[in-house]
Amino acid sequence: MRATLTHAIEDYLKIIYDLSVIDAWVSTSQIAKALEVKPASVTGMIQKLAAVTPPLVEYRKHYGVILTPEGERVALEIIRHHRLLETFLHETLGFDWDAVHAEADRLEHVISEEFEERIAQVLGDPTHDPHGDPIPDRDLQMPVHATTCLSELRVGQQARIERVRNDNCELLRYLSERGLLPGVEISILDYSPFDDNLYLQVQGRPESIVLGPRITGQIFVELK
Amino acid sequence: MRATLTHAIEDYLKIIYDLSVIDAWVSTSQIAKALEVKPASVTGMIQKLAAVTPPLVEYRKHYGVILTPEGERVALEIIRHHRLLETFLHETLGFDWDAVHAEADRLEHVISEEFEERIAQVLGDPTHDPHGDPIPDRDLQMPVHATTCLSELRVGQQARIERVRNDNCELLRYLSERGLLPGVEISILDYSPFDDNLYLQVQGRPESIVLGPRITGQIFVELK
DNA sequence: AAAATAATTTAGGATAAGCTAAATATTATT
DNA sequence: AATAATATTTAGCTTATCCTAAATTATTTT
Ligand SMILES: [Mn+2]
Ligand SMILES: [Mn+2]
Ligand SMILES: [Mn+2]
Ligand SMILES: [Mn+2]
């Protein structure tokens, strides 16, 4: 019979979706790390997700999982909740850019379809959240969005920041203090090959900035 | 050590607070009925609530429970969340009068103090929710409010509706269809002693209405 | 190809919150 | 005061989710 979608199940599906962007098959330990639980707990859960009807993941022992169409549907539903909530918290309630994630992570499991619909309307059906992440539409289709990573840029290139990975609120605060927000224009001044540092100029700021690969790998841009 | 406030604990404390308005000591079966769980489950929970440090209720076997000051503080905190949320859902998001309760019942456990604070500000620190129930202020003090029950009124008296018990959304829809909302003026046309029916006129409506005691006992008014 | 290392799974437990059925206590009726 | 009806508690189970420790499987290195 059809599975009850508990909060934990929803969080697992959401994280599996996110991780599968990098590689379609997702390993037990990737999930464990992302959710900050032990690998043994992940094995227990993914075996359950694979055993319900209809299955939410396909599971290969000692190899990993991939979302089924049904699992992906549920994941996108929760991701839509999460990103609409982040946008609402920021735009309508005035939460800081870096404070919305934790709040949305709890609310996403609890709001009704009516709540989802009403905040979407209040916000005018936004296509991106405050971090620039795309929001699936009512039919759970993802809008097209930038996939060029800032770490790929080299000297002389210019770009506009589209999105910033949002799971670390210290990083978000660090970036916003330096003006590195979605929509902002940047140009690359220099690149040092051994440490992969990028020297860049943020439009409207006097000083230049140096960013290491741990940061530039989290920022996605649209080339000019 | 200090108890973790789970959703279930919060729901128990909230319901005990509500029930203790009628009688300070609240019985196991009253709680069981209100929460729609079995009495045996209630016994289990209230024993836990009495055993934590500091205790959240005082418990007398085979008699009932009463909230401790700490238990009351937690209850008021959740009631503030609940009623602010109801007001926000109605006023800001345009939810129907009768749809807000169920949504608030889930969200109340999940919102942060920042969320609470921001919706209070957006709403201008309201003192009453859409059903007319008083909202505890930041220091958890309840505003003064009407305690005259509509069922106590007799022929010739006039009053303004202050609040309507909000746990039954069919009743709320029934009432709003007849114009019986907080703020509306009414006058009593007749009273039949055997069935306790009240015949009344709602200001601005052509026809008069007959209400039985199951309804009039749920409506509170301010006498004119 | 064997050994070492890493990743994954199994087994057994913990905690939270509910349930049913049986036992016990309280209150009401005769 | 005894009996009956009601209310409450206890005991034992269930489900969901997480944990640790031990066992197993897969991968990498020598
Ligand atoms: Mn979450
Ligand atoms: Mn939805
Ligand atoms: Mn609740
Ligand atoms: Mn609060």
Side-chain angles (χ1 to χ4, degrees):
Chain A
M1 84 227 63
R2 191 153 274 265
T4 323
L5 295 174
T6 63
H7 297 190
I9 288 178
E10 292 178 344
D11 277 342
Y12 272 85
L13 294 174
K14 190 175 66 151
I15 223 75
I16 292 169
Y17 183 95
D18 281 347
L19 292 170
S20 69
V21 171
I22 301 151
D23 194 352
W25 284 84
V26 177
S27 73
T28 302
S29 47
Q30 281 181 290
I31 298 169
K33 199 173 163 192
L35 289 178
E36 299 183 79
V37 298
K38 302 294 161 186
S41 307
V42 173
T43 300
M45 178 59 95
I46 63 187
Q47 287 177 343
K48 193 168 80 180
L49 298 180
V52 296
T53 316
L56 297 165
V57 301
E58 188 187 327
Y59 169 50
R60 286 199 217 155
K61 257 196 183 188
H62 293 281
Y63 185 65
V65 290
I66 191 169
L67 291 177
T68 60
E70 176 64 10
E72 186 172 320
R73 221 212 70 238
V74 175
L76 285 166
E77 184 68 59
I78 297 299
I79 289 169
R80 176 164 163 85
H81 286 195
H82 183 93
R83 294 183 182 167
L84 280 174
L85 279 164
E86 286 195 343
T87 313
F88 182 73
L89 293 168
H90 184 60
E91 307 261 301
T92 309
L93 293 184
F95 274 67
D96 284 342
W97 195 56
D98 53 284
V100 297
H101 185 77
E103 190 87 24
D105 245 0
R106 281 175 283 112
L107 288 164
E108 64 191 5
H109 310 289
V110 162
I111 63 169
S112 63
E113 292 303 287
E114 180 171 6
F115 191 109
E116 173 197 319
E117 185 55 34
R118 289 192 181 268
I119 61 175
Q121 245 159 47
V122 165
L123 296 167
D125 287 310
T127 57
H128 293 79
D129 75 17
H131 312 103
D133 283 315
I135 303 174
D137 68 16
R138 278 183 187 76
D139 302 324
L140 304 180
Q141 296 300 306
M142 278 286 192
V144 284
H145 63 280
T147 50
T148 310
C149 193
L150 176 54
S151 60
E152 301 165 27
L153 299 204
R154 291 297 174 266
V155 181
Q157 288 191 293
Q158 302 205 335
R160 192 179 65 249
I161 296 178
E162 286 285 307
R163 41 191 277 261
V164 177
R165 283 277 170 80
N166 60 58
D167 40 13
N168 181 336
C169 85
E170 269 100 65
L171 172 64
L172 292 180
R173 196 146 40 232
Y174 180 90
L175 293 177
S176 64
E177 277 161 14
R178 285 156 183 77
L180 291 159
L181 298 156
V184 165
E185 312 260 320
I186 54 169
S187 54
I188 310 299
L189 303 177
D190 202 359
Y191 166 70
S192 61
F194 301 106
D195 51 14
D196 283 318
N197 278 345
L198 273 183
Y199 295 71
L200 49 90
Q201 184 73 48
V202 179
Q203 200 174 56
R205 296 246 165 175
E207 355 69 76
S208 66
I209 308 178
V210 190
L211 298 176
R214 300 273 280 284
I215 295 178
T216 55
Q218 305 283 87
I219 298 173
F220 296 86
V221 301
E222 178 84 21
L223 277 170
K224 299 235 79 179
Chain B
M1 82 227 66
R2 193 155 272 265
T4 323
L5 294 175
T6 62
H7 296 189
I9 289 178
E10 292 178 345
D11 277 342
Y12 272 87
L13 294 173
K14 192 176 65 150
I15 223 77
I16 293 168
Y17 182 95
D18 281 347
L19 292 169
S20 70
V21 171
I22 300 152
D23 194 351
W25 285 84
V26 177
S27 72
T28 302
S29 46
Q30 282 181 289
I31 298 169
K33 199 173 161 191
L35 289 178
E36 300 183 77
V37 298
K38 302 293 160 186
S41 307
V42 174
T43 300
M45 179 58 97
I46 63 187
Q47 287 178 344
K48 191 168 80 181
L49 298 180
V52 295
T53 314
L56 297 164
V57 301
E58 190 187 324
Y59 168 49
R60 286 200 217 154
K61 254 195 186 187
H62 293 282
Y63 185 64
V65 290
I66 192 170
L67 291 176
T68 61
E70 176 63 10
E72 186 172 320
R73 220 211 73 238
V74 176
L76 285 167
E77 185 68 62
I78 298 300
I79 289 169
R80 176 166 162 84
H81 285 195
H82 183 93
R83 294 183 182 166
L84 279 174
L85 279 164
E86 287 195 342
T87 312
F88 183 73
L89 293 169
H90 184 61
E91 307 260 302
T92 308
L93 292 186
F95 273 68
D96 283 343
W97 194 55
D98 53 284
V100 297
H101 184 77
E103 191 87 24
D105 243 1
R106 280 176 283 113
L107 288 165
E108 65 192 3
H109 310 289
V110 163
I111 64 170
S112 64
E113 290 303 288
E114 181 172 5
F115 191 109
E116 172 196 322
E117 186 54 35
R118 289 193 181 266
I119 60 174
Q121 245 159 47
V122 165
L123 296 167
D125 287 311
T127 57
H128 293 80
D129 75 17
H131 312 103
D133 283 314
I135 303 174
D137 68 18
R138 278 185 187 70
D139 304 323
L140 304 181
Q141 297 301 305
M142 277 285 192
V144 284
H145 63 281
T147 50
T148 310
C149 193
L150 177 53
S151 60
E152 300 165 28
L153 299 205
R154 291 297 173 264
V155 181
Q157 288 191 292
Q158 302 204 335
R160 192 179 64 249
I161 296 177
E162 287 286 305
R163 42 191 276 262
V164 177
R165 285 276 172 81
N166 59 60
D167 39 14
N168 182 336
C169 85
E170 269 100 64
L171 173 64
L172 293 179
R173 195 146 40 229
Y174 180 90
L175 294 175
S176 66
E177 277 162 12
R178 285 155 184 76
L180 291 159
L181 300 155
V184 165
E185 314 259 321
I186 53 168
S187 54
I188 310 298
L189 302 178
D190 201 359
Y191 166 70
S192 61
F194 300 105
D195 50 13
D196 283 319
N197 278 345
L198 274 182
Y199 295 71
L200 49 88
Q201 185 73 49
V202 180
Q203 201 174 57
R205 294 247 165 177
E207 353 71 76
S208 65
I209 307 179
V210 190
L211 298 176
R214 301 271 282 283
I215 295 178
T216 56
Q218 306 282 88
I219 298 173
F220 296 86
V221 300
E222 180 83 23
L223 276 171
K224 300 236 77 181

